[in-house]
Amino acid sequence: MFSSASLSSARALSRVVAARPCLAAQPRLAAAAATTRHAALRSYVQAASTQGGSSQSAASPPPPSASGASVKPPVALFGIDGTYASALYTAAAKTSSLENTARAMFSLAELLKKDHILPTILSAPTLTARDKGLIVTELLKHTAGADKNETVKNFLKTLADNNRLSILEGICEKFGTLISVHRGEVEMVVTSAAPLDGRMLSRLETAVGKSPLVGPGKKLKVNNKVNPDILGGLVVDVGGKTIDLSVSSKIAKMNKLLQDTL
């Protein structure tokens, strides 16, 4: 979460934003801004995907590595946030900074989950260039010192220039998907009515990790989601399959059986 000083700066930014007229109400400016955003994104993706390039602007990713190898995201993603996440993956892979970039983005994802004021500020339509610069500076303080190559710094500047800071949370999530595939991870989502302890999650991980659902050479990544509506039991999603052992599911089946019988 933002520190007290950072949070004060964020709140100050929100007051400044609220005092300005809404740019979205000006159609010509909005259309021009959209055109600029699309052009900037194309430039970013091209810079991240092509060889060479001796100069680097503040909003561009670092130059490609000299290996000459073609780098592509391990899986195709869709949507604007998917496009940006893929461009970031390519830029990080070109500079051999995938793991550092992943740590930085995961830290930002945690920040966005914990700080309820931040998403509102990032979505403000009237942020000035100075506002965006302050926001990027604050965000960089929460990258756990992992952004050694300044890949994330340049990426955040690109988002700010393109008025896309509002989709940062979605980008973090989809970038996480790319990293999981890159690492050979298979995600298992265990939904329970109450949080599961580490011992239970470890037992589930061991049991499922040996099953054909994971596959040889794959790593199991376990996430526990809480949904009181299932009443009890578990719902396990892994490898594109769902194992529903919830109490709510059993009740639904029992009710259907009774209705069919009557």
Side-chain angles (χ1 to χ4, degrees):
M1 187 174 289
F2 275 19
S3 64
S4 298
S6 300
L7 195 53
S8 297
S9 298
R11 284 172 176 159
L13 277 176
S14 65
R15 289 195 295 271
V16 171
V17 167
R20 296 196 183 97
C22 180
L23 289 179
Q26 304 177 34
R28 286 182 296 177
L29 287 178
T35 301
T36 302
R37 286 196 296 269
H38 291 314
L41 177 56
R42 286 195 297 271
S43 297
Y44 185 91
V45 174
Q46 183 178 11
S49 304
T50 56
Q51 303 293 326
S54 57
S55 62
Q56 177 184 335
S57 65
S60 299
S65 63
S67 63
S70 176
V71 177
K72 291 183 179 180
V75 64
L77 298 179
F78 302 96
I80 297 297
D81 50 0
T83 301
Y84 275 96
S86 298
L88 176 60
Y89 179 94
T90 301
K94 285 283 187 178
T95 56
S96 302
S97 60
L98 267 179
E99 291 303 320
N100 284 339
T101 300
R103 283 196 294 272
M105 294 299 286
F106 293 160
S107 295
L108 289 178
E110 287 300 312
L111 173 66
L112 287 162
K113 289 179 182 177
K114 294 178 181 178
D115 193 325
H116 301 297
I117 297 176
L118 184 56
T120 301
I121 295 174
L122 296 182
S123 300
T126 55
L127 293 173
T128 66
R130 182 176 181 277
D131 294 334
K132 296 171 188 175
L134 290 172
I135 290 173
V136 168
T137 298
E138 290 297 333
L139 290 174
L140 288 171
K141 294 178 182 178
H142 298 271
T143 55
D147 190 29
K148 307 297 184 183
N149 290 36
E150 297 192 344
T151 303
V152 175
K153 177 181 178 180
N154 292 328
F155 182 72
L156 290 176
K157 287 182 177 180
T158 298
L159 291 182
D161 290 343
N162 295 350
N163 293 328
R164 293 297 189 186
L165 286 171
S166 60
I167 62 172
L168 178 58
E169 188 168 7
I171 293 172
C172 289
E173 180 179 347
K174 291 196 173 181
F175 185 78
T177 298
L178 293 174
I179 291 297
S180 290
V181 176
H182 168 73
R183 292 173 176 172
E185 296 174 342
V186 175
E187 184 178 29
M188 179 174 74
V189 179
V190 182
T191 304
S192 54
L196 299 177
D197 59 31
R199 183 179 178 183
M200 175 60 74
L201 289 174
S202 180
R203 289 175 62 187
L204 286 169
E205 182 177 3
T206 300
V208 178
K210 297 177 181 178
S211 74
L213 292 173
V214 178
K218 299 290 184 179
K219 304 174 186 176
L220 193 62
K221 179 182 179 182
V222 182
N223 288 322
N224 181 204
K225 291 187 177 180
V226 176
N227 181 7
D229 292 341
I230 71 171
L231 303 179
L234 301 172
V235 178
V236 180
D237 292 286
V238 59
K241 296 186 177 181
T242 299
I243 305 171
D244 192 343
L245 304 174
S246 65
V247 172
S248 62
S249 175
K250 292 179 181 179
I251 292 175
K253 290 178 182 178
M254 185 179 298
N255 286 338
K256 187 177 185 307
L257 179 62
L258 288 172
Q259 290 173 0
D260 292 343
T261 303
L262 296 175

